[in-house]
Amino acid sequence: MMHERYPTALTAQVSVYPLRQEALSPAIDAVIALWRERGLDVQPGAMSTLIAGDETTVWESLRAAFAVAAAYGETVMVITVSNACPWTPSES
C-alpha cells in the first residue's frame, strides 16, 4: 500500500539521543526543524518522532539530521524505516 501523498513513500520512526550534553532539547529541536524545512510530514512524540515522505527526501533527511544533531555533541540515532507501514498524518 502506498502513501497517498508520496507514491514512493517511506515512513521512519526516529529517536535521537544527545549524549553528555547540558540540554537535550536543542539538538532534538534542530532535527525536527530540519525535517519540517525539507517538507516531510513530522509527528513528534515523547520517545521518538515519525516522519514520512518520498524515499529520496527521507533518506537524505535522515543523514542530514544525524549531522545536525552531532554538531551539538555526541549523539545516538535509532531508526526504523518502512515502505509497508503507511502513515497518514493528521492535518494541522
Side-chain angles (χ1 to χ4, degrees), residues 3 5-12 38-41 51-62 81-82:
H3 190 287
R5 190 166 159 196
Y6 308 106
T8 57
L10 292 180
T11 299
R38 291 184 176 218
L40 294 173
D41 295 318
I51 61 172
D54 70 86
E55 183 176 358
T56 300
T57 304
V58 168
W59 285 118
E60 290 174 354
S61 297
L62 287 170
V81 180
S82 175

Short mmCIF file of all heavy atoms in Angstrom, two decimals, residues 3 5-12 38-41 51-62 81-82:
data_model
loop_
_atom_site.label_atom_id
_atom_site.label_comp_id
_atom_site.label_asym_id
_atom_site.label_seq_id
_atom_site.Cartn_x
_atom_site.Cartn_y
_atom_site.Cartn_z
N HIS A 3 1.61 5.42 0.23
CA HIS A 3 1.18 6.64 0.89
C HIS A 3 0.52 7.52 -0.17
O HIS A 3 1.04 7.68 -1.26
CB HIS A 3 2.41 7.33 1.48
CG HIS A 3 2.11 8.47 2.38
ND1 HIS A 3 1.65 9.66 1.91
CD2 HIS A 3 2.21 8.60 3.71
CE1 HIS A 3 1.49 10.49 2.92
NE2 HIS A 3 1.82 9.87 4.03
N ARG A 5 0.12 10.67 -0.49
CA ARG A 5 0.81 11.90 -0.85
C ARG A 5 2.13 11.64 -1.57
O ARG A 5 2.59 12.46 -2.33
CB ARG A 5 1.05 12.72 0.42
CG ARG A 5 1.54 14.11 0.18
CD ARG A 5 1.40 14.93 1.43
NE ARG A 5 2.30 16.07 1.33
CZ ARG A 5 2.67 16.81 2.32
NH1 ARG A 5 2.22 16.57 3.52
NH2 ARG A 5 3.49 17.81 2.16
N TYR A 6 2.76 10.50 -1.29
CA TYR A 6 4.07 10.17 -1.86
C TYR A 6 4.01 8.80 -2.50
O TYR A 6 3.95 7.79 -1.80
CB TYR A 6 5.15 10.18 -0.77
CG TYR A 6 5.18 11.43 0.06
CD1 TYR A 6 4.72 11.43 1.36
CD2 TYR A 6 5.69 12.61 -0.46
CE1 TYR A 6 4.75 12.58 2.13
CE2 TYR A 6 5.72 13.77 0.30
CZ TYR A 6 5.25 13.74 1.60
OH TYR A 6 5.29 14.88 2.36
N PRO A 7 4.08 8.69 -3.83
CA PRO A 7 3.98 7.38 -4.47
C PRO A 7 5.10 6.42 -4.09
O PRO A 7 4.90 5.22 -4.05
CB PRO A 7 4.02 7.69 -5.96
CG PRO A 7 4.08 9.15 -6.09
CD PRO A 7 4.15 9.77 -4.74
N THR A 8 6.30 6.92 -3.83
CA THR A 8 7.41 6.08 -3.38
C THR A 8 7.73 6.47 -1.94
O THR A 8 8.81 6.94 -1.63
CB THR A 8 8.65 6.24 -4.27
OG1 THR A 8 9.02 7.62 -4.28
CG2 THR A 8 8.39 5.77 -5.67
N ALA A 9 6.76 6.25 -1.08
CA ALA A 9 6.83 6.77 0.29
C ALA A 9 7.57 5.84 1.24
O ALA A 9 7.55 4.63 1.09
CB ALA A 9 5.43 6.99 0.82
N LEU A 10 8.20 6.48 2.20
CA LEU A 10 8.78 5.78 3.34
C LEU A 10 8.26 6.46 4.60
O LEU A 10 8.01 7.67 4.61
CB LEU A 10 10.30 5.86 3.34
CG LEU A 10 11.05 5.13 2.26
CD1 LEU A 10 12.55 5.33 2.44
CD2 LEU A 10 10.72 3.65 2.26
N THR A 11 8.12 5.66 5.63
CA THR A 11 7.84 6.18 6.96
C THR A 11 8.99 5.73 7.84
O THR A 11 9.47 4.61 7.71
CB THR A 11 6.51 5.62 7.51
OG1 THR A 11 5.45 6.02 6.64
CG2 THR A 11 6.23 6.12 8.92
N ALA A 12 9.43 6.62 8.72
CA ALA A 12 10.51 6.27 9.64
C ALA A 12 10.13 6.69 11.05
O ALA A 12 9.53 7.74 11.26
CB ALA A 12 11.81 6.95 9.23
N ARG A 38 12.40 20.46 5.12
CA ARG A 38 12.53 19.63 3.91
C ARG A 38 11.19 19.10 3.42
O ARG A 38 11.14 18.32 2.47
CB ARG A 38 13.51 18.49 4.17
CG ARG A 38 14.92 19.05 4.32
CD ARG A 38 15.93 17.97 4.49
NE ARG A 38 17.26 18.57 4.54
CZ ARG A 38 18.31 18.04 3.98
NH1 ARG A 38 18.22 16.90 3.33
NH2 ARG A 38 19.48 18.62 4.09
N GLY A 39 10.12 19.50 4.07
CA GLY A 39 8.79 19.15 3.60
C GLY A 39 8.27 17.79 4.03
O GLY A 39 7.27 17.31 3.48
N LEU A 40 8.93 17.16 4.99
CA LEU A 40 8.45 15.87 5.47
C LEU A 40 7.26 16.07 6.40
O LEU A 40 7.11 17.11 7.03
CB LEU A 40 9.55 15.14 6.24
CG LEU A 40 10.76 14.71 5.42
CD1 LEU A 40 11.84 14.16 6.33
CD2 LEU A 40 10.37 13.69 4.37
N ASP A 41 6.40 15.06 6.47
CA ASP A 41 5.36 15.03 7.49
C ASP A 41 6.05 14.61 8.77
O ASP A 41 6.80 13.62 8.78
CB ASP A 41 4.27 14.03 7.12
CG ASP A 41 3.52 14.44 5.86
OD1 ASP A 41 3.22 15.64 5.72
OD2 ASP A 41 3.24 13.57 5.02
N ILE A 51 8.36 10.31 10.81
CA ILE A 51 8.48 11.16 9.64
C ILE A 51 8.01 10.37 8.43
O ILE A 51 8.14 9.15 8.40
CB ILE A 51 9.91 11.71 9.42
CG1 ILE A 51 10.91 10.57 9.20
CG2 ILE A 51 10.34 12.60 10.58
CD1 ILE A 51 12.30 11.04 8.79
N ALA A 52 7.46 11.07 7.45
CA ALA A 52 7.02 10.41 6.23
C ALA A 52 7.28 11.34 5.06
O ALA A 52 7.18 12.56 5.18
CB ALA A 52 5.54 10.04 6.30
N GLY A 53 7.61 10.73 3.94
CA GLY A 53 7.86 11.50 2.73
C GLY A 53 8.31 10.59 1.62
O GLY A 53 8.32 9.36 1.76
N ASP A 54 8.72 11.22 0.52
CA ASP A 54 9.21 10.41 -0.58
C ASP A 54 10.55 9.80 -0.19
O ASP A 54 11.27 10.30 0.67
CB ASP A 54 9.32 11.22 -1.87
CG ASP A 54 10.42 12.24 -1.82
OD1 ASP A 54 11.57 11.88 -2.13
OD2 ASP A 54 10.16 13.39 -1.43
N GLU A 55 10.86 8.69 -0.82
CA GLU A 55 12.03 7.89 -0.45
C GLU A 55 13.33 8.70 -0.42
O GLU A 55 14.08 8.65 0.56
CB GLU A 55 12.16 6.72 -1.43
CG GLU A 55 13.28 5.77 -1.12
CD GLU A 55 13.31 4.58 -2.06
OE1 GLU A 55 12.44 4.46 -2.94
OE2 GLU A 55 14.23 3.78 -1.91
N THR A 56 13.58 9.46 -1.46
CA THR A 56 14.83 10.22 -1.53
C THR A 56 14.93 11.24 -0.41
O THR A 56 15.96 11.35 0.26
CB THR A 56 14.95 10.92 -2.90
OG1 THR A 56 14.94 9.91 -3.91
CG2 THR A 56 16.22 11.72 -3.01
N THR A 57 13.85 11.97 -0.18
CA THR A 57 13.87 13.01 0.85
C THR A 57 14.04 12.41 2.24
O THR A 57 14.79 12.94 3.06
CB THR A 57 12.59 13.86 0.78
OG1 THR A 57 12.46 14.40 -0.53
CG2 THR A 57 12.63 15.00 1.79
N VAL A 58 13.37 11.28 2.51
CA VAL A 58 13.51 10.65 3.82
C VAL A 58 14.96 10.24 4.07
O VAL A 58 15.54 10.58 5.09
CB VAL A 58 12.54 9.46 3.98
CG1 VAL A 58 12.89 8.63 5.22
CG2 VAL A 58 11.10 9.94 4.05
N TRP A 59 15.56 9.51 3.12
CA TRP A 59 16.94 9.05 3.33
C TRP A 59 17.92 10.22 3.47
O TRP A 59 18.77 10.22 4.36
CB TRP A 59 17.39 8.11 2.21
CG TRP A 59 16.80 6.75 2.29
CD1 TRP A 59 15.98 6.15 1.37
CD2 TRP A 59 16.96 5.78 3.33
NE1 TRP A 59 15.63 4.89 1.79
CE2 TRP A 59 16.22 4.63 2.99
CE3 TRP A 59 17.67 5.78 4.53
CZ2 TRP A 59 16.16 3.50 3.80
CZ3 TRP A 59 17.61 4.65 5.34
CH2 TRP A 59 16.87 3.53 4.97
N GLU A 60 17.79 11.20 2.60
CA GLU A 60 18.70 12.36 2.68
C GLU A 60 18.50 13.14 3.97
O GLU A 60 19.45 13.62 4.58
CB GLU A 60 18.51 13.27 1.47
CG GLU A 60 19.01 12.65 0.18
CD GLU A 60 18.70 13.49 -1.07
OE1 GLU A 60 17.99 14.51 -0.96
OE2 GLU A 60 19.16 13.08 -2.15
N SER A 61 17.26 13.23 4.42
CA SER A 61 16.96 13.97 5.65
C SER A 61 17.42 13.23 6.89
O SER A 61 17.79 13.86 7.88
CB SER A 61 15.46 14.26 5.72
OG SER A 61 15.07 15.09 4.66
N LEU A 62 17.41 11.91 6.86
CA LEU A 62 17.94 11.15 7.99
C LEU A 62 19.44 11.39 8.15
O LEU A 62 19.94 11.61 9.26
CB LEU A 62 17.64 9.66 7.82
CG LEU A 62 16.19 9.25 8.03
CD1 LEU A 62 15.97 7.81 7.58
CD2 LEU A 62 15.77 9.44 9.48
N VAL A 81 12.79 2.06 9.47
CA VAL A 81 12.28 2.58 8.19
C VAL A 81 11.40 1.51 7.55
O VAL A 81 11.73 0.33 7.57
CB VAL A 81 13.44 2.93 7.23
CG1 VAL A 81 12.90 3.45 5.91
CG2 VAL A 81 14.37 3.95 7.87
N SER A 82 10.28 1.96 6.97
CA SER A 82 9.37 1.02 6.34
C SER A 82 8.72 1.62 5.10
O SER A 82 8.40 2.81 5.08
CB SER A 82 8.27 0.63 7.32
OG SER A 82 7.30 -0.19 6.69
#
